[in-house]
Amino acid sequence: MKKIFIIFGLFSLISAGVNADFTDNFDGGVSPLWKPVSGIWEAKDDLYHVRATGVLPGFSILPFEVTDGTVIETDAMITGNATYKNVHLAFAYVNDSDIYVASVGVLAGQWVIGHTGAGGWNQAGWFMLAANKDVNISVGEWYNFRLEIHKSTVSFFANNNLKVEYKFPDGIPKGRIGIGVVGSDTLFDNMKITGEMNLSVKPIGKCVTTWASIKSR
């Protein structure tokens, strides 16, 4: 049984705070809230597959922004079918060349909290805000990745072990929550976002803002 949360309503503001959970285990498909913005995404075998074209990024994002207390969690398996092998949790996807992520790269051998600038994902445009070279994950195995937001600090965990964290001097940047890779084939499962978050788009509708929990087989 699959459980997803759908948003309905009419907003006069660009973002509104909501305190609710979003879950998607991808059984039988994906929530319509997902928006693939790069790469090739496919719901298959009750998983969310992404294949980046060449060494370019592949991202799928949700209409939420993090705030103090947001927790983003997913299970992911890095496959061995592409040039690079990595997982990215985007906590502020502003546009395709302005993305804040927590990531792990098997070949790069680093846990990173980083940011793409105007140069995009090439060497000149990638900024590592914090890094940890103690990488002990393998391709072809499932891992649980979790990102916690506490005020202006981002903490990145793997299998409940803290790997890297960074405190933003001017507060957490604003952008959409998402998942992704760069030049990698990766599988995602059991996506979950808890705590207060902001809705970052204007839904179209005539009813009062509500959250509906929809169960489908």
Side-chain angles (χ1 to χ4, degrees), residues 3 48 61 76 93 98 122-123 126 133-134:
K3 184 178 181 181
Y48 203 14
I61 58 176
Y93 189 105
D98 188 5
N122 64 35
Q123 189 173 4
W126 171 245
K133 294 185 177 181
D134 180 24

Side-chain angles (χ1 to χ4, degrees), residues 42-123:
E42 180 183 15
K44 183 180 178 181
D45 301 326
D46 295 334
L47 302 171
Y48 203 14
H49 297 231
V50 57
R51 178 166 60 89
T53 55
V55 295
L56 298 177
F59 276 89
S60 187
I61 58 176
L62 292 163
F64 310 123
E65 293 180 347
V66 300
T67 185
D68 184 20
T70 303
V71 178
I72 307 168
E73 187 170 2
T74 189
D75 296 332
M77 176 194 290
I78 302 169
T79 76
N81 299 329
T83 302
Y84 299 126
K85 300 168 178 61
N86 52 68
V87 173
H88 294 284
L89 293 187
F91 56 92
Y93 189 105
V94 183
N95 55 56
D96 60 4
S97 62
D98 188 5
I99 312 169
Y100 291 84
V101 299
S103 66
V104 58
V106 174
L107 296 185
Q110 294 185 108
W111 303 92
V112 173
I113 294 174
H115 174 223
T116 63
W121 290 97
N122 64 35
Q123 189 173 4

Side-chain angles (χ1 to χ4, degrees), residues 9 14-15 85 110 112 119 122 133 137 155 160 165 172 213:
I14 291 179
S15 61
K85 300 168 178 61
Q110 294 185 108
V112 173
N122 64 35
K133 294 185 177 181
I137 68 171
S155 302
N160 293 318
E165 64 182 4
I172 301 295
S213 176

